[in-house]
Amino acid sequence: QSVWDSGDAATLHFEDLPGDVLRSKKLQELLIVAPEGITQGKGRPVRVRPIQHYFCGGVTVDGKAETSVPGLFACGEVTGGVDGASRIGGNALTNLVTFGLLAGRGAATYGGATGSFVPESAERLLKGFPDGMASPESIRKEITSVVESSLGPVRNGAKCREAAERLDTLSGDIRRVACAPGLELLHALELRGLSMTAAAVARAALFREESRGTHYRTDFPEERECWKRPARVSLENGTIVVRQGDE
């Protein structure tokens, strides 16, 4: 049973659970992340809060899970159109297994047919980070901080605009990351995708002036008929552009 304590926190209560339930394997596994829930064989309140556990992505794929980029296949949370505006609870595994199989088959067939996959050398990739002034982790923390503070399910125009501007700055900062071949290079390369994904979310959320599915704007709290269509986000000359899906 979840209740509000002092109006600012939710707690999960175990005080009235019998000992055999407290000792059950299922509950013990659950409480690995909150061991304070059991004290001297008795239950006690555990502070809880919501978390983000699924990303409703927007990458367009066809029936073979291929994107508009030749040779790029996608599945699961990153893709759009499968779940609509909001994922139905319980279908994540079915989604990723079904489209993961399609994506894997498509990628294998494409790679075998074209022989076009040629990995880049670490030396060449390192040239994309010429300055070497900051660690990948420091930039990553800044990006995630912006996203967590401004791009949660409850948003507003001012915060979205602020996030988009800050992410534009951080995308430039990625070039000054210090990295070496190996994991540091991998983490530096991941920053580009992380930054671009966050910026796409910010621009798309700012563009859609309504609330729909898991997107809620406090300054536009209602669904609007004119927005009953997808928005398409693309990268044009290095700039993220958002348009109505049929434009």
Side-chain angles (χ1 to χ4, degrees):
Q1 179 184 2
S2 293
V3 299
W4 290 100
D5 286 348
S6 305
D8 64 353
T11 53
L12 189 62
H13 285 253
F14 298 104
E15 294 94 323
D16 297 330
L17 291 180
D20 58 333
V21 175
L22 289 172
R23 291 187 296 272
S24 67
K25 181 179 179 181
K26 186 174 182 180
L27 187 58
Q28 291 297 322
E29 290 175 348
L30 173 66
L31 292 176
I32 288 176
V33 295
E36 72 275 15
I38 304 294
T39 302
Q40 297 179 348
K42 296 182 179 180
R44 57 179 293 182
V46 176
R47 185 183 177 113
V48 296
R49 62 180 181 177
I51 62 170
Q52 177 181 312
H53 70 102
Y54 198 93
F55 178 75
C56 292
V59 176
T60 302
V61 294
D62 61 18
K64 296 180 181 179
E66 186 171 11
T67 71
S68 59
V69 178
L72 179 62
F73 296 78
C75 64
E77 298 183 26
V78 72
T79 58
V82 178
D83 297 315
S86 182
R87 182 177 71 93
I88 300 172
N91 76 331
L93 183 60
T94 305
N95 181 344
L96 67 91
V97 168
T98 301
F99 286 88
L101 182 61
L102 290 172
R105 286 175 174 172
T109 301
Y110 183 91
T114 63
S116 59
F117 179 72
V118 180
E120 291 193 68
S121 67
E123 289 76 15
R124 181 174 178 179
L125 291 171
L126 282 169
K127 291 181 180 179
F129 307 93
D131 299 329
M133 299 292 290
S135 70
E137 184 61 22
S138 65
I139 303 295
R140 183 185 184 92
K141 285 182 177 179
E142 289 192 62
I143 294 173
T144 55
S145 176
V146 171
V147 172
E148 289 175 357
S149 63
S150 302
L151 299 177
V154 180
R155 306 159 173 170
N156 63 65
K159 280 288 188 180
C160 290
R161 186 174 292 103
E162 178 183 313
E165 293 172 353
R166 180 61 182 141
L167 289 166
D168 285 345
T169 300
L170 288 172
S171 67
D173 290 345
I174 292 173
R175 287 178 55 82
R176 63 182 177 85
V177 164
C179 57
L183 280 179
E184 278 197 347
L185 176 57
L186 173 62
H187 294 160
L189 292 171
E190 288 176 343
L191 285 178
R192 293 174 174 173
L194 183 66
S195 172
M196 193 172 297
T197 300
V201 171
R203 294 292 179 186
L206 182 61
F207 181 78
R208 182 170 287 275
E209 296 181 337
E210 66 154 0
S211 293
R212 185 177 298 272
T214 54
H215 166 75
Y216 182 82
R217 288 269 303 259
T218 56
D219 45 349
F220 294 98
E222 304 294 335
E223 288 188 3
R224 300 169 65 190
E225 190 65 23
C226 64
W227 284 98
K228 199 173 182 179
R229 63 187 72 178
R232 185 173 296 275
V233 184
S234 58
L235 189 66
E236 301 179 6
N237 299 318
T239 301
I240 291 177
V241 178
V242 187
R243 297 187 178 93
Q244 289 278 28
D246 53 0
E247 292 182 0

